[in-house]
Amino acid sequence: MYVDIDIRVAFSAVFTFLMIALGACSFIGFRSHKAIGRAVAWLDLSLLPPMAGNIIIIGSSVEMRSLVGAYIYYLGLNGVLVALVNFTDIYCRGTGNGQQKPTVVYILLGVDFLQVFANIFFGHAFDLEAVMVQDKPYYRVVPYWGQYLHRIVDYAVFFCVILIFFLASVKTSRLFREKYTVLTGSMIVLGIWQTFYVFSRTPVDRSMIGYGVVGILVFYLSLYHRPMRLLDRMLSNIVSDMSEALFVYDATGRCIWANEKGMEMTATTAKTFDDVSEALIKKFGEREYSTAWWCTNKIIGSSDDERYYYIENRPVSDEKDSLAGSVLTVRDNTEEQRRLKRELYNSTHDSLTGLYTKQYLYECVRNMLTSSPDTAFVAVFVDVKNFKIVNDIFSAAFGDNALKQIAEWISRDMNEKCVYGRLAGDTFGVFLPAEQFENDRTRIEKELADFTVTDGNASHHLVMHLGVYEVAERDIDVSVMFDRAHLALSTITDDYNTHIAYYDNVLREKMLWEQRITAELREALDTMQLRPYLQPITDRSGKVVGAEALARWIHPEHGFMSPAMFIPVFEKNGMITEVDKHMWRCACKILADWKKEGKDLFISVNISPKDFYFIDVVSEIKGLVAEYGIDPVNLRIEITETVMMNDPEERMRVLDEFRKLGFIVEMDDFGSGYSSLNLLKDMPVDVLKIDMRFLSVSGSKEKAKTIVRNIIRLSEELEIASLTEGVENENQYHKLTEMGCKLFQGYYFAKPLPREEFEDFTASRGKIQ
């Protein structure tokens, strides 16, 4: 009797202990931050019902109580398999070539659960029979076909789980193979144990102990296990193969280990680690190679043999936070530092010439101004004239070589007080003390006078000009300093004997003036400060037949401004287009008013060469004529021969389009520039405006008169009307009339007049029809 009670109590105690342990594991799993934590918790929690059912069966001698325990046991095993499949799905995911969710398995286990539960109603799965165990009845299961079906399903699922773990242990890395192998082996042992219980028909299911042990193993291996031996071996291999030299010191400051790189650096071996500190001191200098934290950068060698090292010493503590030693790391940064130097050099130096880039030059200039507040400096803008010709005639390679030779010339006589660089293309910038530049000026002039570049096969004389700005305003932007030096070059036109020009107050005032009137142009157009003045054009009888519209600016501060004060500025910056469009509109408005008054006069308007670049001239003027309802023949289009210099075919197409629309096209200043008979032959023009200045040039005046006479006669034969401008006296008027000129314009008749004065002038002469 005593023995029997001892067995039942002993197994109940073991199962109770396992249940407590599994409950604790489940609680910890639910609180774990690891992804696998909840799966582990559900698995360990699922083991509690079958263990509880087994305790009921062991401790009961009553059939009904044993039957309840049996249902809890068998149905609980289905729950264990569901939790095990879920754990396997998560834990072994990624070890194969892809996995699908085990939905079919869950359905199969659910159906099996229902058929076992249905045994309550149909009795198809199992029944109980009493056997005597140590003089007491013990109710064990008598299996039917439902129970056999239940065992087939459970064993099939369990076998699949074991197979998945086996494959995972084969395919995973060595670092994780240990835990997969242990779990696979423990589940195989559990399966064998469970099978032995089934076939041996022993009264007490001792295999439940195996379930508890597997549950605890799953908890430990999933959440806490670390393969320390393998990790140590792997880390040792990793550290040994590191590119950094690594030295490990104990708490007393004695070197106890070094990786291969460290031993190679210090020429030591595993038997001579005591010599490491001395070798490091000899190589890098005196330092405490022990337990204190520190870091430093060291440069060993010089010039091209320089080696760069980063050294760091870090203390290491044990699990009790006591000092255990230190780790010294020595990293060779030479290639990285050289790469950084190359990148820095490339970012601050021009790739072709090796001089500073523009932005870095500006930065260096600003630093120089800050560091030398008492030194007077000059900014020098170096410009190569007509450099494009060098590339076109010789080749781009010769041009590149020429730029390199210019860079060498610039840097040849420079010192630490000078900075210089390539600004763009064929322009360079130099910033140096003013005294140094003045001392070298004579030498520079002489060298520039005969500056020749060569590549061994060809040579070419380069014309270079230097614009110099004496830095008076040190706080302005550096780019403005070089802009002013560049502006100084505008005083050198075609004087090839002058190579150096200085920026002065005259240039400054000119620049400020250009900025000011450019800013005021819009208001001048809107308020009619800038308006057309009309200079009369007469025929041979002196009758006023039309006028040329000339732009005049009546400034509120400066009064009447000569066109020379603003027209060249606007031609240079492209604003001349706005002026021309304004003049065209004003002319159209005047012609519309004259049409209403019955006056049949024309107005000639100028078209600047730049108008063709910025606007559609034909569409613009055609639109104005349509807007004001005037006859195109009364708005004459006046161009200069310079319009034809660029893209002559396109210009001729535009002029021909004007003529087809009914406009009369005039060529201005014929004979004062580079006019040719070839140009006259091809150009679609209706009127030639001959400049009287042609008769005023030095040389034979008789020859000049002969040329003018023949130009007039030639124009008649070409059916082109002639108009002479610049007629200043009666003698010129009569001579031109005798030569056959048809139209006249000049101060002899009237200067350019405001509209009201022009209309009064024509009325007083009684010539308006």
Side-chain angles (χ1 to χ4, degrees):
M1 183 68 177
Y2 175 79
V3 175
D4 182 51
I5 294 175
D6 186 63
I7 292 175
R8 291 173 182 265
V9 172
F11 278 107
S12 296
V14 170
F15 291 141
T16 301
F17 171 78
L18 288 174
M19 288 179 66
I20 294 172
L22 291 171
C25 292
S26 177
F27 177 77
I28 296 172
F30 278 122
R31 294 175 62 86
S32 173
H33 296 293
K34 292 187 176 182
I36 195 66
R38 296 185 66 83
V40 172
W42 280 115
L43 177 59
D44 285 351
L45 192 63
S46 70
L47 290 168
L48 299 183
M51 283 195 174
N54 210 24
I55 290 175
I56 294 173
I57 294 172
I58 294 172
S60 174
S61 298
V62 180
E63 181 177 5
M64 182 56 65
R65 191 181 303 166
S66 298
L67 185 63
V68 171
Y71 276 107
I72 295 174
Y73 173 76
Y74 286 118
L75 294 176
L77 285 179
N78 280 75
V80 170
L81 287 173
V82 169
L84 181 61
V85 169
N86 177 62
F87 168 77
T88 304
D89 177 49
I90 297 174
Y91 196 64
C92 297
R93 187 174 298 164
T95 58
N97 296 324
Q99 294 172 314
Q100 296 180 347
K101 279 288 184 182
T103 306
V104 175
V105 177
Y106 292 144
I107 294 173
L108 183 63
L109 290 172
V111 171
D112 182 61
F113 178 90
L114 292 176
Q115 75 91 10
V116 173
F117 184 78
N119 186 71
I120 298 173
F121 307 104
F122 303 108
H124 66 287
F126 65 87
D127 200 353
L128 299 181
E129 66 175 1
V131 295
M132 297 303 293
V133 176
Q134 296 182 342
D135 301 327
K136 270 196 174 186
Y138 177 89
Y139 291 90
R140 65 182 179 186
V141 172
V142 178
Y144 301 141
W145 67 267
Q147 178 70 1
Y148 292 124
L149 178 63
H150 167 72
R151 290 174 179 173
I152 291 171
V153 170
D154 285 3
Y155 271 98
V157 172
F158 193 64
F159 176 78
C160 290
V161 169
I162 292 174
L163 180 61
I164 291 172
F165 267 89
F166 175 76
L167 293 175
S169 65
V170 172
K171 293 184 178 182
T172 192
S173 66
R174 290 181 61 194
L175 187 62
F176 301 106
R177 186 172 299 160
E178 180 179 335
K179 59 182 181 180
Y180 282 112
T181 303
V182 170
L183 287 177
T184 303
S186 63
M187 284 189 285
I188 291 174
V189 171
L190 175 60
I192 295 172
W193 197 349
Q194 178 74 25
T195 304
F196 173 76
Y197 162 70
V198 170
F199 286 101
S200 67
R201 303 276 293 162
T202 56
V204 179
D205 186 3
R206 297 171 175 82
S207 66
M208 286 306 301
I209 298 174
Y211 280 91
V213 172
V214 170
I216 294 172
L217 275 175
V218 166
F219 168 79
Y220 171 71
L221 292 174
S222 301
L223 301 182
Y224 290 99
H225 174 68
R226 294 181 63 200
M228 297 304 298
R229 182 178 302 175
L230 184 58
L231 277 174
D232 288 343
R233 190 181 307 122
M234 291 178 66
L235 289 174
S236 177
N237 292 335
I238 292 172
V239 170
S240 295
D241 294 336
M242 286 175 61
S243 59
E244 294 90 348
L246 205 67
F247 305 92
V248 178
Y249 290 81
D250 63 15
T252 65
R254 185 173 62 89
C255 182
I256 58 175
W257 186 85
N259 65 356
E260 291 183 9
K261 196 73 175 179
M263 289 189 286
E264 178 184 340
M265 177 179 292
T266 56
T268 57
T269 65
K271 297 180 180 180
T272 58
F273 283 152
D274 291 341
D275 300 331
V276 164
S277 293
E278 183 179 347
L280 290 173
I281 292 173
K282 184 177 180 181
K283 188 175 184 68
F284 299 114
E286 187 70 36
R287 197 81 198 199
E288 183 188 355
Y289 296 102
S290 58
T291 57
W293 182 90
W294 54 267
C295 64
T296 186
N297 290 288
K298 282 287 185 179
I299 302 177
I300 307 298
S302 59
S303 189
D304 294 337
D305 296 327
E306 280 185 344
R307 306 295 300 182
Y308 298 83
Y309 295 93
Y310 173 75
I311 308 173
E312 182 179 13
N313 194 76
R314 287 178 293 179
V316 178
S317 299
D318 59 18
E319 64 277 4
K320 297 180 180 180
D321 205 25
S322 299
L323 182 65
S326 63
V327 177
L328 179 74
T329 306
V330 181
R331 184 167 67 246
D332 188 337
N333 284 336
T334 303
E335 291 305 317
E336 181 181 352
Q337 290 298 320
R338 288 176 178 173
R339 178 181 58 80
L340 291 174
K341 282 189 174 182
R342 285 194 301 269
E343 291 178 356
L344 178 61
Y345 181 88
N346 292 336
S347 68
T348 57
H349 289 73
D350 176 59
S351 59
L352 176 64
T353 63
L355 302 185
Y356 286 162
T357 60
K358 180 174 70 174
Q359 293 302 323
Y360 191 61
L361 171 64
Y362 289 175
E363 182 181 334
C364 292
V365 168
R366 178 53 60 195
N367 292 336
M368 184 176 291
L369 287 168
T370 303
S371 61
S372 305
D374 299 325
T375 303
F377 290 99
V378 293
V380 182
F381 187 95
V382 182
D383 180 49
V384 184
K385 303 298 290 183
N386 301 320
F387 188 75
K388 185 176 183 298
I389 296 176
V390 177
N391 286 324
D392 292 343
I393 295 178
F394 295 97
S395 73
F398 184 90
D400 289 345
N401 186 53
L403 292 174
K404 292 179 182 179
Q405 293 184 44
I406 295 170
E408 291 172 1
W409 173 74
I410 290 174
S411 58
R412 186 179 62 204
D413 295 308
M414 295 292 146
N415 54 38
E416 69 279 358
K417 297 179 181 179
C418 313
V419 290
Y420 41 91
R422 186 183 182 189
L423 299 179
D426 57 357
T427 60
F428 301 83
V430 182
F431 198 81
L432 70 164
E435 182 180 0
Q436 180 177 338
F437 180 77
E438 288 303 320
N439 292 338
D440 292 342
R441 179 175 174 177
T442 303
R443 174 185 60 80
I444 294 171
E445 283 274 16
K446 183 178 179 182
E447 292 177 353
L448 289 175
D450 189 31
F451 193 92
T452 303
V453 293
T454 180
D455 67 349
N457 298 318
S459 60
H460 179 70
H461 172 66
L462 288 181
V463 177
M464 289 196 297
H465 291 158
L466 272 59
V468 182
Y469 168 64
E470 297 174 338
V471 180
E473 301 174 60
R474 302 171 74 96
D475 295 331
I476 62 173
D477 196 83
V478 175
S479 63
V480 176
M481 297 180 186
F482 283 101
D483 286 343
R484 291 181 177 181
H486 187 196
L487 186 62
L489 296 179
S490 63
T491 61
I492 305 176
T493 52
D494 294 327
D495 184 1
Y496 288 95
N497 293 320
T498 302
H499 298 95
I500 300 176
Y502 285 82
Y503 176 87
D504 56 18
N505 287 330
V506 174
L507 282 174
R508 182 175 184 276
E509 291 302 322
K510 178 185 176 184
M511 180 183 66
L512 293 175
W513 169 255
E514 291 178 356
Q515 292 174 348
R516 179 177 177 182
I517 61 172
T518 299
E520 294 177 351
L521 176 60
R522 176 48 54 193
E523 182 181 359
L525 297 177
D526 294 340
T527 60
M528 289 300 293
Q529 295 175 29
L530 201 152
R531 64 190 71 165
Y533 270 43
L534 305 176
Q535 186 169 27
I537 297 175
T538 69
D539 60 12
R540 298 178 69 173
S541 67
K543 173 186 175 182
V544 177
V545 293
E548 180 181 1
L550 300 168
R552 298 293 184 266
W553 192 336
I554 314 302
H555 196 277
E557 181 180 345
H558 302 288
F560 183 88
M561 294 201 310
S562 166
M565 297 178 67
F566 58 90
I567 292 297
V569 176
F570 297 144
E571 285 181 338
K572 183 171 67 173
N573 62 24
M575 297 293 286
I576 192 65
T577 299
E578 297 300 317
V579 175
D580 286 345
K581 287 165 62 177
H582 176 72
M583 296 299 293
W584 301 341
R585 178 171 289 279
C586 290
C588 289
K589 185 178 185 303
I590 294 171
L591 288 172
D593 292 342
W594 285 352
K595 182 179 179 181
K596 293 177 184 178
E597 297 170 6
K599 299 175 181 178
D600 186 18
L601 297 171
F602 67 81
I603 296 179
S604 298
V605 292
N606 290 284
I607 297 181
S608 168
K610 289 195 175 180
D611 292 336
F612 290 93
Y613 291 104
F614 297 113
I615 59 174
D616 185 341
V617 178
V618 176
S619 296
E620 191 78 27
I621 294 179
K622 179 182 175 183
L624 289 172
V625 167
E627 180 182 345
Y628 285 96
I630 60 175
D631 191 342
V633 75
N634 290 329
L635 185 69
R636 295 194 174 186
I637 307 301
E638 188 170 306
I639 63 166
T640 61
E641 60 183 276
T642 54
V643 168
M644 309 305 298
M645 294 300 101
N646 293 315
D647 199 0
E649 292 184 2
E650 173 62 19
R651 301 292 181 266
M652 288 184 182
R653 186 195 64 78
V654 172
L655 297 181
D656 192 55
E657 189 174 350
F658 269 125
R659 297 181 73 204
K660 289 178 181 178
L661 292 171
F663 294 93
I664 290 178
V665 178
E666 302 176 344
M667 176 183 278
D668 192 17
D669 295 338
F670 189 84
S672 63
Y674 301 96
S675 306
S676 67
L677 294 178
N678 184 57
L679 188 64
L680 185 60
K681 171 177 69 69
D682 295 329
M683 281 190 63
V685 296
D686 302 290
V687 177
L688 282 184
K689 296 189 71 173
I690 305 169
D691 195 338
M692 275 299 295
R693 287 176 296 178
F694 184 73
L695 298 174
S696 304
V697 296
S698 59
S700 174
K701 291 187 177 182
E702 290 301 320
K703 288 183 178 180
K705 291 177 182 178
T706 301
I707 293 173
V708 171
R709 183 184 302 111
N710 283 282
I711 290 174
I712 293 172
R713 188 174 66 184
L714 180 61
S715 68
E716 288 179 351
E717 293 180 0
L718 293 173
E719 298 182 348
I720 300 175
S722 56
L723 187 161
T724 307
E725 59 181 339
V727 180
E728 297 182 352
N729 54 60
E730 186 177 1
N731 182 48
Q732 292 176 343
Y733 169 62
H734 288 305
K735 285 183 178 180
L736 290 167
T737 303
E738 292 172 2
M739 292 178 185
C741 187
K742 302 290 178 63
L743 298 172
F744 307 89
Q745 178 183 347
Y747 275 38
Y748 171 64
F749 304 99
K751 64 181 181 179
L753 302 169
R755 173 182 172 177
E756 295 79 8
E757 293 184 22
F758 172 83
E759 292 174 347
D760 291 344
F761 170 77
T762 55
S764 66
R765 293 171 63 92
K767 298 299 182 180
I768 299 182
Q769 299 296 320

